[in-house]
Amino acid sequence: MTTLRIALDPEITQAYGPEVHWIWRTILLTQGWGWIETSLAEPCDLAYTPDPDRAPLARLCVQADLGAWERRTALRLRKLINGSGPHHPVYVGWETPPLALTTDSAQRICRRDLALDVYWLMTGQEERYWPQDRHGFRDYSGSAWQEQGVFGKAPASTLSAWLKCVLLQLGCPEPAPAWPNGKRAAAAAGHDVDYPQVIRWLEPLRIIARQGAGGLGPALEVALGKRHHWLFRNWMNLERSLGVRSAFYFMTVRGSLAQYALGTPDAFYDVGAAPFRDVLRELANEGFEVGLHASYRAYTSPQRLAAEKRRLEDLLGRPVSGIRHHYWHTNPADVEETLLFHEQAGFQYDSSLVHNRYLGWRRGCANPFYPFHQRLRREVGTLQVPLGWMDDQLFHLAAHNPGDPRERLQALIDRAAAVEGCFVMDVHDYVYDEALYPGWQGLYRWAWETIDRRGDFWKATPIEIAAHWRKRYSSLLAASRGLALGRAEVANTPAGA
């Protein structure tokens, strides 16, 4: 197993040890390296220290910025700039060196603290400063995040990938591949099952509100029962023709119009009814994934979340490994608390760290990763499989993501490939019918056809991506020594799963 020799300066680990250990583990394991931790005085491939003179035998020294670590919760993004390497953040009122290498005798030095940048992005440090609506959706209007399309650039992943390129140029060994079968990236899709049974007196009004006079014909057909949203086999047939299998996320809590009006917008169906039991079995037998679409208020209690998981497992007759929250509704005041609930409930992966309005990767990372719980100062043991595109972002929410939809998706697919990450799509269950949702299913088809034309994506279900990443992560972790990964912490990571 490929390992690097890495040295961390005690001056920074004494103050920020759990944070520093987590981000370096994440960077190295994402890029495919295990590690052997050594001292600054010994020869090493990579050193992390405020003073490069303390690591004279390192191939590469990344200069730690203690002042930035101290102020990390107050740093705000002013803009992204592209120097000699990938895009990286420039903070308001905080001057930091550009991302560039200098040479000091035989040693290369990166005087920008890229570990702090990646940590800052992947822990969402700035999120708390932006306004939220009643659903907890953040509004980045007028900010660099929105104007520069920061989420679509996956800056945390690009910084990490840049470091890999530098280390390879300096003669470090080739890392383990990211994905199976020699593929460069991975792609997956999921369908949130929100509205599979139309309310025939209500839906025609919604169609006309969306389409105006052009929707009169489809609205009448829905009212007469000639069009509907029960489209599971349509999706299955389409995806078989594309050579893919997707995930379907079902809700186990039944809502109502009254509850919807009072602020709890759960779906209106009973997943225990016979038609749903039949479709659950059909999906599972055909190789499609079934996951939990957690209810709007599932985040309020670990017991509530676990009960929803158990009910779906009882109906399905097999374990449920993946989760995606309805309305992306994690705890709006403390998202990491919800991520911890996922671990406690035994989910292998979550795919809910998404900004509803904005295309791209919420935490700047297009690679799967284990989030960091800032209060507990440890890694959370449920993998995050980051979502890149939700359908509505290019339709009803297109004002927040201007430009040609195909060009926007192409850019995301290309970025995922560039950082050897994953491109995960969320297309709702009810948008298949082109008469009811013109262009939605067609854009989804186009995305898969574009991925096929590239030829370098591994097409999988989200749980297959998670299972591969967990196995890869555990293998690299087992070959590593140091970075303060003790037995207590291993119990909460995939190595102990």
Side-chain angles (χ1 to χ4, degrees):
M1 186 61 64
T2 301
T3 57
L4 295 184
R5 296 181 67 84
I6 180 171
L8 304 181
D9 195 311
E11 184 179 359
I12 192 163
T13 57
Q14 286 172 3
Y16 306 108
E19 292 80 7
V20 169
H21 293 146
W22 171 75
I23 199 57
W24 279 113
R25 286 197 308 270
T26 299
I27 291 171
L28 293 174
L29 289 164
T30 296
Q31 299 308 324
W33 279 302
W35 62 85
I36 297 172
E37 190 173 359
T38 186
S39 73
L40 292 171
E42 297 177 77
C44 62
D45 300 299
L46 176 64
Y48 185 56
T49 173
D51 182 2
D53 289 339
R54 299 176 189 172
L57 302 179
R59 288 187 183 185
L60 174 66
C61 180
V62 175
Q63 189 166 1
D65 188 335
L66 289 169
W69 275 102
E70 184 178 355
R71 293 187 58 190
R72 67 192 182 282
T73 61
L75 295 174
R76 304 288 300 275
L77 179 68
R78 181 161 63 91
K79 62 179 179 178
L80 286 186
I81 63 170
N82 188 359
S84 61
H87 286 85
H88 58 277
V90 174
Y91 306 113
V92 173
W94 186 257
E95 295 302 322
T96 53
L99 187 65
L101 297 181
T102 61
T103 302
D104 186 356
S105 65
Q107 184 188 62
R108 295 292 181 93
I109 302 172
C110 176
R111 299 196 181 276
R112 182 179 182 88
D113 190 341
L114 62 85
L116 180 278
D117 288 337
V118 176
Y119 173 89
W120 184 82
L121 289 160
M122 291 185 65
T123 53
Q125 290 298 325
E126 195 177 337
E127 288 181 4
R128 68 179 71 92
Y129 294 107
W130 292 95
Q132 295 175 284
D133 67 11
R134 63 190 179 91
H135 298 301
F137 300 150
R138 303 283 178 178
D139 183 359
Y140 287 84
S141 299
S143 71
W145 296 94
Q146 194 266 337
E147 292 181 351
Q148 290 191 259
V150 172
F151 303 114
K153 290 181 168 64
S157 290
T158 57
L159 287 168
S160 176
W162 178 82
L163 179 66
K164 172 185 172 180
C165 291
V166 170
L167 290 170
L168 289 174
Q169 291 169 4
L170 294 177
C172 291
E174 285 284 339
W179 302 106
N181 307 322
K183 298 299 185 181
R184 182 175 180 85
H191 306 287
D192 295 346
V193 182
D194 284 355
Y195 192 25
Q197 297 170 316
V198 298
I199 300 174
R200 285 171 58 180
W201 65 265
L202 174 63
E203 191 58 24
L205 301 176
R206 286 163 44 90
I207 295 168
I208 293 169
R210 288 197 306 268
Q211 300 185 28
L216 289 172
L220 179 60
E221 290 176 316
V222 168
L224 296 174
K226 295 181 179 181
R227 290 189 183 275
H228 53 81
H229 287 175
W230 192 264
L231 300 164
F232 297 104
R233 288 180 182 170
N234 302 71
W235 286 117
M236 294 167 70
N237 291 336
L238 171 63
E239 288 167 355
R240 288 191 194 101
S241 74
L242 295 169
V244 299
R245 296 290 189 275
S246 64
F248 288 80
Y249 300 92
F250 287 85
M251 192 174 293
T252 62
V253 171
R254 184 175 188 176
S256 67
L257 279 173
Q259 290 172 335
Y260 190 98
L262 293 172
T264 303
D266 287 329
F268 303 152
Y269 62 87
D270 176 8
V271 74
F276 287 93
R277 293 199 303 270
D278 291 343
V279 84
L280 288 174
R281 286 192 295 269
E282 183 179 3
L283 288 167
N285 291 338
E286 292 292 327
F288 291 81
E289 180 188 344
V290 173
L292 177 67
H293 200 32
S295 70
Y296 189 76
R297 303 201 183 280
Y299 77 87
T300 59
S301 160
Q303 293 79 20
R304 186 170 185 167
L305 185 64
E308 293 184 20
K309 179 176 185 285
R310 285 194 302 272
R311 183 169 189 233
L312 186 57
E313 289 174 332
D314 289 343
L315 292 167
L316 185 63
R318 62 185 71 187
V320 169
S321 299
I323 180 172
R324 185 180 287 161
H325 283 257
H326 188 47
Y327 274 65
W328 317 114
H329 205 214
T330 56
N331 187 337
D334 185 2
V335 64
E336 291 158 359
E337 179 186 70
T338 306
L339 303 184
L340 188 63
F341 291 173
H342 298 158
E343 175 192 287
Q344 294 167 349
F347 287 102
Q348 289 190 34
Y349 80 88
D350 168 57
S351 192
S352 303
L353 272 182
V354 181
H355 282 310
N356 181 67
R357 297 175 179 173
Y358 306 104
L359 275 171
W361 298 278
R362 174 173 172 176
R363 293 293 174 85
C365 183
N367 312 94
F369 67 97
Y370 289 92
F372 186 75
H373 195 291
Q374 295 178 69
R375 180 175 55 81
L376 298 181
R377 303 183 77 191
R378 71 161 177 88
E379 193 170 274
V380 175
T382 295
L383 186 71
Q384 191 64 212
V385 177
L387 191 88
W389 169 48
M390 178 191 69
D391 50 11
D392 208 20
Q393 290 164 342
L394 292 174
F395 291 95
H396 297 144
L397 299 170
H400 300 285
N401 306 282
D404 181 83
R406 294 188 176 188
E407 291 179 4
R408 296 301 302 264
L409 283 188
Q410 181 76 65
L412 290 177
I413 292 167
D414 292 346
R415 182 53 59 102
V419 300
E420 299 184 342
C422 55
F423 180 60
V424 180
M425 299 172 270
D426 174 27
V427 176
H428 288 81
D429 64 304
Y430 52 85
V431 304
Y432 184 91
D433 190 334
E434 288 284 318
L436 303 182
Y437 288 87
W440 293 55
Q441 178 250 110
L443 188 60
Y444 176 69
R445 180 195 294 267
W446 178 89
W448 278 119
E449 291 171 347
T450 300
I451 287 166
D452 273 341
R453 283 194 295 271
R454 288 188 57 102
D456 56 355
F457 274 76
W458 175 48
K459 298 190 296 185
T461 60
I463 188 54
E464 288 171 338
I465 288 176
H468 166 76
W469 203 262
R470 288 170 66 91
K471 182 178 179 180
R472 176 180 181 270
Y473 188 105
S474 295
S475 178
L476 290 166
L477 197 63
S480 302
R481 298 202 307 271
L483 293 191
L485 192 65
R487 288 186 180 274
E489 192 166 353
V490 168
N492 292 300
T493 69

